[in-house]
Amino acid sequence: MGRLDGKVAIITGAGSGQGAMEAELFAREGAMVVATDMNEGHLNPVVDDISRQYPETVIGLKHDVSKEADWQRIVEEALGAFGKIDILINNAGITGMTEFTLNKLTVEEWDKVMNVNALGNFLGMKHTIPAMKRNGQGSVVNISSLTGISGLGGLTAYSASKGAIRTMTKGAARDFGGDHIRVNSIHPGYIETPSTDYLTSNTDIREALIAAVPLKYLGESEDVAYAALFLASDEAKFITGEELIIDGGQTIKE
Ligand SMILES: NC(=O)C1=CN([C@@H]2O[C@H](COP(=O)(O)OP(=O)(O)OC[C@H]3O[C@@H](n4cnc5c(N)ncnc54)[C@H](O)[C@@H]3O)[C@@H](O)[C@H]2O)C=CC1
Ligand SMILES: CC(=O)C(C)=O
């Protein structure tokens, strides 16, 4: 028995890091997976690998989450392939230019980050929730960040976009609870993926990051993927509007 047997899941940003891990884990747990990414060069090998291990469980689709027309096409293709949508993992995201203090941040950079992260999450919910409603239930997991709770200097647009994800999650949870659709957010701390290479490849920064984590290691993609699996599954059927921090204890509260 898989924990997602019979479910159909759309996972964005599945060509790399956490999204790739989630696509593999969800297929392993019995889901049919619609794995999407803007970068087909990264997505295709991920999809091929999952198909080899779990035949006929996954399709890969090119997708820019910031484009509404792309979302319309993705939902149509998912319904065409698998007949329904139970789960959305809004994972695709970009950090944007780093070390831009607020005063140096350009409007172009702000728009780019907000469009992928905040608008992308909104469009994902807008276009998949109607199919979930027809299906009588659904689960959305929005990947925010620790920065969506406490902000991070130098990452103004990223922090704002992840804060928007945190609160739009709670609003959507209220809007669609009556339709048996749950909406939760995950807030990872530092996870070792291509998106954090710019930090973790520097030995001094890496050691400083680890020193701030009570569990004394940087997170791995599977640490987030297992949390997404739980929230996506029926095991979490009474949990909605919740924010789950996955940071090795970095922000333990009293
Ligand atoms: N790695 C970390 O430490 C943390 C990551 N996060 C969030 O977790 C999520 C996944 O991050 P990682 O796996 O680390 O990143 P990653 O860079 O390894 O993977 C992100 C994927 O999203 C895709 N993508 C980017 N823009 C896209 C667009 N417009 N449309 C569709 N796909 C697009 C990329 O092609 C890439 O395959 C992101 O939302 C990120 O902000 C949050 C907190 C910490
Ligand atoms: C790197 C990042 O997105 C964090 C720590 O939230």
Side-chain angles (χ1 to χ4, degrees):
M1 273 284 283
R3 292 166 68 184
L4 297 178
D5 276 349
K7 306 268 191 202
V8 177
I10 297 179
I11 302 174
T12 68
S16 176
Q18 297 166 48
M21 179 62 72
E22 282 149 10
E24 197 271 336
L25 178 62
F26 280 33
R28 194 195 313 163
E29 291 294 341
M32 298 294 173
V33 176
V34 180
T36 83
D37 203 292
M38 202 167 82
N39 186 329
E40 280 185 302
H42 289 166
L43 180 64
N44 291 341
V46 171
V47 170
D48 290 348
D49 187 48
I50 297 171
S51 295
R52 260 192 306 276
Q53 297 183 69
Y54 312 102
E56 294 177 17
T57 57
V58 62
I59 58 171
L61 300 174
K62 185 169 184 187
H63 177 200
D64 181 343
V65 295
S66 67
K67 301 272 187 299
E68 186 154 28
D70 272 25
W71 273 107
Q72 286 161 336
R73 176 177 53 78
I74 293 300
V75 166
E76 277 169 27
E77 294 203 33
L79 293 173
F82 299 124
K84 62 172 184 162
I85 298 167
D86 300 289
I87 296 164
L88 169 66
I89 309 294
N90 257 331
N91 165 76
I94 56 171
T95 313
M97 296 288 286
T98 54
E99 294 169 27
F100 263 29
T101 56
L102 191 147
N103 289 340
K104 289 187 193 153
L105 180 65
T106 61
V107 171
E108 289 73 22
E109 189 62 15
W110 168 272
D111 284 346
K112 189 169 119 194
V113 173
M114 291 300 281
N115 284 344
V116 176
N117 297 354
L119 179 64
N121 262 247
F122 153 65
L123 290 174
M125 291 195 282
K126 176 179 172 186
H127 287 283
T128 57
I129 284 177
M132 292 178 185
K133 275 176 142 179
R134 289 195 296 277
N135 195 26
Q137 53 84 40
S139 175
V140 177
V141 181
N142 292 325
I143 307 299
S144 175
S145 157
L146 266 195
T147 65
I149 295 176
S150 51
L152 191 64
L155 285 179
T156 305
Y158 183 73
S159 301
S161 71
K162 294 298 188 178
I165 290 171
R166 173 175 179 250
T167 46
M168 82 171 86
T169 295
K170 295 178 193 304
R174 292 180 195 279
D175 278 346
F176 299 108
D179 299 300
H180 310 292
I181 295 169
R182 298 180 297 103
V183 189
N184 292 288
S185 57
I186 288 181
H187 300 261
Y190 289 97
I191 310 295
E192 289 204 73
T193 70
S195 80
T196 47
D197 273 353
Y198 76 102
L199 294 169
T200 56
S201 58
N202 176 311
T203 310
D204 291 341
I205 296 178
R206 183 185 180 80
E207 282 174 8
L209 292 176
I210 292 173
V213 177
L215 285 176
K216 297 302 170 215
Y217 78 97
L218 299 177
E220 297 163 358
S221 289
E222 71 169 22
D223 295 327
V224 178
Y226 274 107
L229 169 65
F230 168 65
L231 289 173
S233 77
D234 294 340
E235 295 161 15
K237 65 184 166 54
F238 203 46
I239 301 177
T240 197
E242 192 49 83
E243 51 190 71
L244 180 52
I245 295 175
I246 302 176
D247 68 351
Q250 189 174 342
T251 55
I252 290 173
K253 294 180 194 66
E254 289 187 3

